[in-house]
């Protein structure tokens, strides 16, 4: 069984979305004898690194992460590769047919991860593509950029989230993908919040 991890490690060096809280991992207590223990303290916003957005992020009274059943984050996953670094339309995708439970869009933007350019001028999903995916009744959408929306916009987020389609952003290692379809797992914390860090991975079928 081959597993492809789609999750960036959370470290103090990770860059946060502009304006979000800075991630900080530090010692709360460090073991100094064989009978003592080490404890870390962790502070961050929930939209740093590989993370998942629930409807409550933009939809008043929308679902929070812990309102979803865990099987909502698991399913047959279709990989769609985009040939543009601008607005992603259906014509930019390789064979967008037979859409399954979850869709991963591979834009190649992950090559810029943790650079100063990563959060600006990235590929983003068009209204046309969002409508197509919603019509196909997907559970969730994942992408290797910081947002499904153009910078400083939110209309694509709102389209997905009002239809209770979760969004995973900042996924990693799409250069390791060589198949069209996998079993996908996008597992968040069981947290009462609008978002969560997520452990995302694909399993070869």
């Amino acid at each position: 069984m081959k597993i492809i991890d789609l999750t960036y490690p959370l470290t103090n060096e990770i860059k946060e979305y502009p304006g979000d809280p800075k991630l900080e991992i530090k010692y709360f207590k460090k073991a100094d004898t064989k009978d003592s223990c080490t404890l870390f303290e962790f502070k961050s916003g929930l939209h740093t690194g590989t993370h998942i957005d629930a409807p409550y992020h933009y939809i008043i009274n929308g679902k929070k992460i812990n309102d979803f059943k865990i099987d909502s984050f698991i399913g047959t996953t279709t990989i769609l590769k985009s040939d543009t670094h601008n607005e992603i339309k259906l014509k930019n995708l390789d064979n967008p047919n037979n859409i399954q439970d979850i869709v991963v869009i591979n834009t190649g933007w992950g090559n810029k991860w943790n650079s100063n350019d990563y959060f600006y001028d990235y590929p983003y999903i068009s209204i046309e593509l969002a409508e197509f995916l919603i019509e196909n009744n997907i559970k969730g959408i994942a992408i290797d950029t910081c947002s499904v929306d153009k910078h400083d916009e939110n209309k694509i987020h709102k389209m997905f989230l009002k239809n209770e389609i979760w969004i995973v952003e900042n996924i990693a290692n799409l250069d390791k993908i060589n198949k069209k379809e996998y079993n996908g797992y996008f597992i968040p914390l069981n947290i009462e919040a609008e978002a969560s860090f997520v452990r995302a991975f694909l399993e070869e079928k």
Side-chain angles (χ1 to χ4, degrees):
M1 177 177 65
K2 182 178 179 181
I3 298 291
I4 301 172
D5 191 351
L6 304 182
T7 314
Y8 287 110
L10 293 172
T11 70
N12 285 319
E13 289 68 44
I14 200 170
K15 293 183 186 296
E16 71 282 355
Y17 190 86
D20 279 11
K22 178 69 178 173
L23 182 147
E24 183 181 18
I25 305 170
K26 65 180 182 180
Y27 284 108
F28 178 75
K29 183 174 74 169
K30 188 174 183 180
D32 53 8
T33 70
K34 67 178 182 179
D35 295 321
S36 61
C37 68
T38 295
L39 296 175
F40 279 93
E41 182 179 355
F42 182 93
K43 295 181 179 180
S44 178
L46 292 172
H47 298 267
T48 296
T50 310
H51 69 275
I52 187 168
D53 294 347
Y56 196 70
H57 185 34
Y58 277 110
I59 308 302
I60 296 173
N61 297 322
K63 282 186 176 181
K64 298 176 183 176
I65 293 295
N66 66 330
D67 290 323
F68 285 89
K69 294 181 179 179
I70 194 167
D71 59 4
S72 302
F73 307 112
I74 299 168
T76 304
T77 300
T78 303
I79 312 299
L80 298 178
K81 190 167 185 179
S82 170
D83 65 5
T84 182
H85 278 177
N86 296 296
E87 184 179 39
I88 307 168
K89 300 181 179 179
L90 276 169
K91 68 180 183 180
N92 300 121
L93 300 174
D94 60 326
N95 192 27
N97 300 314
N98 300 317
I99 300 298
Q100 301 297 324
D101 299 327
I102 300 166
V103 170
V104 168
I105 298 183
N106 180 1
T107 73
W109 198 251
N111 293 331
K112 296 181 181 289
W113 170 248
N114 232 27
S115 72
N116 291 329
D117 297 330
Y118 180 77
F119 296 106
Y120 304 96
D121 298 323
Y122 50 82
Y124 58 93
I125 293 176
S126 65
I127 290 176
E128 171 207 38
L129 177 54
E131 288 175 341
F132 170 78
L133 296 174
I134 291 166
E135 288 168 1
N136 276 271
N137 298 312
I138 64 171
K139 293 181 178 181
I141 173 77
I143 194 167
D144 58 347
T145 69
C146 63
S147 180
V148 292
D149 271 291
K150 188 176 181 179
H151 184 65
D152 281 341
E153 293 187 0
N154 58 35
K155 59 179 179 265
I156 304 301
H157 270 86
K158 289 180 177 179
M159 288 178 68
F160 286 131
L161 297 177
K162 77 177 183 181
N163 284 281
E164 298 190 350
I165 295 170
W166 48 258
I167 301 166
V168 171
E169 294 159 334
N170 302 327
I171 55 174
N173 295 325
L174 294 189
D175 57 332
K176 297 180 180 179
I177 287 177
N178 55 22
K179 298 182 183 299
K180 177 75 172 177
E181 195 172 279
Y182 293 83
N183 294 321
Y185 304 81
F186 299 80
I187 310 300
L189 301 173
N190 190 4
I191 185 171
E192 187 178 3
E194 89 294 350
S196 172
F197 302 113
V198 66
R199 193 62 188 260
F201 57 95
L202 300 176
E203 174 192 33
E204 285 195 357
K205 302 185 70 168

